[in-house]
Amino acid sequence: MWLTIAKVALIAFLVIGVVTFIVGYRRGLKRAKGQRQQQADPNLGPSTLRGVPPTPLPEWAYWDEDDPDTRR
């Protein structure tokens, strides 16, 4: 009898855990999709905080390492 109760409890625990992960994942997808639609540049991706634009890359990020004229 105790073994049956333990099996049922384990299965219920696993089912609740999987459902929790699925619900959290779906809520995160909806949040990211909403943020993507609000931004002007779709190449920037979703921002981590609502209302905070992503920081642009510094100019050295675009330098070519093989070209000595672009280094300083």
Side-chain angles (χ1 to χ4, degrees):
M1 180 174 148
W2 288 108
L3 186 59
T4 305
I5 292 173
K7 287 179 185 179
V8 171
L10 177 62
I11 291 172
F13 178 75
L14 292 174
V15 168
I16 290 171
V18 168
V19 168
T20 302
F21 279 117
I22 291 172
V23 168
Y25 180 75
R26 289 185 55 117
R27 289 181 71 198
L29 284 179
K30 287 182 183 178
R31 185 177 303 128
K33 183 179 178 183
Q35 288 179 352
R36 263 188 253 121
Q37 291 174 349
Q38 293 173 0
Q39 291 181 352
D41 188 1
N43 295 326
L44 295 176
S47 61
T48 56
L49 300 173
R50 288 187 181 259
V52 178
T55 306
L57 292 173
E59 69 177 54
W60 56 263
Y62 300 105
W63 292 350
D64 187 15
E65 292 187 13
D66 296 333
D67 189 11
D69 294 336
T70 58
R71 286 192 189 172
R72 293 182 185 176

